Amino acid sequence: MPGIKELKTRIKSIQSTRKITRAMQMVSAAKMRKAQNAAISSRTYAEAAWELISNIANKGQFNHPLILTYPQAKKNGIILITTNRGMVGSLNINLLNKLKSIEPLSITQEKAFVTAEIYTEIITYGKKGSQTVARLGKKIVADFPKPEKTLTAEDVYPIAQMVAEMYISGQYKNIYLVYNHFVSTLIQKPTIKRLLPFAETLRADFDNTEDVSEVGGTEYVFEPSIEKVLEHLLPRIIEGQIYETILESNASEHSARMVMMKNATEAAGDLISDYTLTYNQLRQNKITTELAEITAGRIALE
């Protein structure tokens, strides 16, 4: 059992740690509220835009390169969105485990179109993802830095442009987004969402995969022409989908970190209470022993 001096040192050390975790909890809580509001606000627009372009794509009447499918392509592209820092519990681990489900399914799900192995290439967004993917020996075609500042739509333009160029090249069968979908402060769901192709002809049916490409009967009127509209609309749809998933990922990150810091603060408080109780008991025993020795000495002198 540790002595009184050692217990006192431990209590002070844990108190210092608790101050840090409490401060981090407060910072994460403020960021969490802002990130959650941004993610929830973006969903309505993202879902409406996705439904519109999915309806157009599934009519099969247009030949824009971003609507076409490439059945003979030999690659899958993945945009992996993770955090820059740790202290988020199992958030990144669960996401990377989800990532592993793409490779085997991409080969077996679409046997009618596969004549050779499907290769997976990854675009990473966030330091934790790039570090892990590099350690696993997977091919990273691009690594985009994740800014700590508030995300704007302009920040995703380089990613969206690269993804569009990759798909138009005809080398990629599918492009996926892999990210944490914000459900609530306590629940963040690892999600695979197919970004391209827009049409349903090569729909992948992953477990717990988000796919909102439902065909509807809505008719649209385009002015001046469908070609002009699609030329400007499709890149914006890609940008919007990537932007929305990054917002979802940010909300998940700050929620997970806030919960982790809250748990750490409470655990530190419990440790301090336990050590303080032990410290007081040892101190009381020491005082009692000293009093007993003084009393025994006085009796001996008498």
Side-chain angles (χ1 to χ4, degrees):
M1 180 182 291
I4 292 178
K5 186 176 180 180
E6 186 179 351
L7 280 172
K8 193 173 183 180
T9 302
R10 288 188 185 181
I11 290 171
K12 288 182 177 179
S13 176
I14 296 172
Q15 285 174 338
S16 298
T17 302
R18 184 172 64 169
K19 289 179 182 178
I20 295 172
T21 57
R22 182 177 291 162
M24 292 181 68
Q25 176 188 342
M26 294 174 66
V27 170
S28 295
K31 289 182 177 180
M32 177 191 71
R33 285 190 291 271
K34 189 173 182 180
Q36 287 180 0
N37 290 336
I40 293 170
S41 299
S42 70
R43 285 178 185 172
T44 303
Y45 170 79
E47 290 173 1
W50 189 253
E51 181 181 358
L52 182 149
I53 202 61
S54 298
N55 289 340
I56 293 173
N58 285 294
K59 291 181 184 300
Q61 300 172 356
F62 313 107
N63 294 319
H64 192 281
L66 289 174
I67 289 183
L68 297 177
T69 59
Y70 302 94
Q72 302 305 320
K74 300 298 189 293
K75 296 180 181 179
N76 275 334
I78 297 172
I79 306 171
L80 177 63
I81 302 171
T82 59
T83 68
N84 281 335
R85 296 177 292 155
M87 293 183 288
V88 290
S90 60
L91 191 72
N92 290 318
I93 295 173
N94 292 340
L95 186 64
L96 292 167
N97 287 336
K98 188 72 174 175
L99 174 65
K100 296 175 183 177
S101 69
I102 292 182
E103 215 161 9
L105 282 176
S106 65
I107 298 173
T108 58
Q109 284 288 89
E110 302 158 6
K111 291 181 180 179
F113 302 105
V114 175
T115 57
E117 183 179 358
I118 300 295
Y119 299 95
T120 300
E121 294 183 345
I122 300 175
I123 296 173
T124 55
Y125 184 80
K127 292 179 181 178
K128 290 297 180 181
S130 59
Q131 291 169 358
T132 304
V133 172
R135 188 167 61 249
L136 294 174
K138 299 294 183 181
K139 185 175 181 180
I140 300 177
V141 294
D143 178 25
F144 289 90
K146 183 178 183 180
E148 295 295 338
K149 65 180 180 67
T150 302
L151 183 73
T152 62
E154 288 79 5
D155 293 328
V156 306
Y157 287 171
I159 306 175
Q161 184 178 3
M162 181 178 181
V163 168
E165 291 174 354
M166 286 169 57
Y167 188 74
I168 290 173
S169 71
Q171 301 179 53
Y172 292 85
K173 183 183 286 287
N174 301 290
I175 303 288
Y176 298 103
L177 287 161
V178 180
Y179 66 103
N180 282 296
H181 181 76
F182 172 74
V183 179
S184 68
T185 301
L186 297 177
I187 302 173
Q188 300 84 39
K189 180 181 177 182
T191 303
I192 300 170
K193 179 177 181 179
R194 198 184 63 181
L195 179 64
L196 291 168
F198 291 120
E200 281 193 321
T201 50
L202 296 179
R203 177 191 293 256
D205 187 21
F206 296 105
D207 179 39
N208 292 329
T209 298
E210 181 184 352
D211 193 339
V212 292
S213 304
E214 296 297 332
V215 180
T218 307
E219 294 293 334
Y220 301 99
V221 177
F222 297 92
E223 294 183 0
S225 67
I226 182 64
E227 291 76 15
K228 289 287 186 182
V229 172
L230 290 181
E231 182 181 351
H232 292 86
L233 178 63
L234 295 180
R236 302 292 85 78
I237 296 293
I238 294 175
E239 292 163 6
Q241 292 300 310
I242 296 174
Y243 179 64
E244 197 266 337
T245 54
I246 293 176
L247 291 179
E248 295 281 353
S249 179
N250 288 344
S252 298
E253 174 185 354
H254 295 308
S255 298
R257 184 171 290 117
M258 191 279 292
V259 172
M260 284 294 296
M261 292 303 101
K262 181 176 183 293
N263 292 339
T265 301
E266 292 176 352
D270 293 340
L271 275 176
I272 290 171
S273 298
D274 292 341
Y275 281 141
T276 300
L277 178 61
T278 304
Y279 172 81
N280 290 334
Q281 288 175 340
L282 289 176
R283 189 165 174 268
Q284 184 178 4
N285 291 339
K286 184 178 180 181
I287 293 172
T288 302
T289 302
E290 289 175 351
L291 289 174
E293 290 175 351
I294 291 170
T295 303
R298 182 178 179 181
I299 293 174
L301 291 175
E302 292 176 353

